[in-house]
Amino acid sequence: MKKNLLSLLLILFASCLALAQPNEENNKNKKESNNKQLLNNNINFGVGYGIIAFNANTTFQRLKAHKKIYSTWSVGLNYLNVTFFSDDHVFIPSLRFGIITGIDKKHHFEINAGPHLLVGLYNDGFDLATSEFDFGFNIGYRKQKPQDSKIFKLGVGYPELLYVALGFSF
């Protein structure tokens, strides 16, 4: 069971990294139209807070531009500490699909949703036997100028809670 789960996670992360490689042929043809668009790849680092929990997360996103929106695929790793009648520590790998509004704007609305795996952390390591799949989402504001590498994000989500994130695109 443990080897199967680790193999599944490795395949998910490796396939997302393969999708992140730029397609040079398409980029040459669309170079002029991309001047007012966001860069395709980005990495974000964030923290979240709720009354009974806090979260630290990192996310890789791959953007694809359409006429008025971007579609995104995200792979993330979250650490969640819940302190409500106990002290639970959870590691959460996730895979999400979402949209970002505003092709040529610097202020964006974004929403993402998808499955994630809740893996408990204890003194002796991960508890893969009691891991369970769940559904996560986030909705928020994103500030990023077209062709600029700096990203600021603010929003609410599960498991992110109320979050603030900084990132860079490339």
Side-chain angles (χ1 to χ4, degrees), residues 94-127:
S94 65
L95 177 66
R96 295 183 182 178
F97 179 77
I99 61 168
I100 299 175
T101 63
I103 284 286
D104 57 354
K105 312 257 189 290
K106 77 174 185 176
H107 301 283
H108 308 275
F109 168 78
E110 78 174 324
I111 185 167
N112 297 287
H116 60 239
L117 181 67
L118 302 171
V119 180
L121 291 170
Y122 299 100
N123 292 340
D124 57 348
F126 296 115
D127 185 11

Side-chain angles (χ1 to χ4, degrees), residues 48-63:
Y49 178 75
I51 302 290
I52 59 169
F54 75 88
N55 174 284
N57 61 69
T58 183
T59 306
F60 170 80
Q61 280 188 319
R62 173 74 175 164
L63 280 63

Side-chain angles (χ1 to χ4, degrees), residues 62-123:
R62 173 74 175 164
L63 280 63
K64 181 174 180 358
H66 300 282
K67 289 183 181 180
K68 295 186 179 187
I69 63 167
Y70 294 94
S71 59
T72 66
W73 282 101
S74 305
V75 175
L77 296 173
N78 290 275
Y79 167 76
L80 183 66
N81 182 6
V82 180
T83 57
F84 186 69
F85 294 118
S86 66
D87 192 21
D88 295 327
H89 303 271
V90 185
F91 179 73
I92 307 168
S94 65
L95 177 66
R96 295 183 182 178
F97 179 77
I99 61 168
I100 299 175
T101 63
I103 284 286
D104 57 354
K105 312 257 189 290
K106 77 174 185 176
H107 301 283
H108 308 275
F109 168 78
E110 78 174 324
I111 185 167
N112 297 287
H116 60 239
L117 181 67
L118 302 171
V119 180
L121 291 170
Y122 299 100
N123 292 340

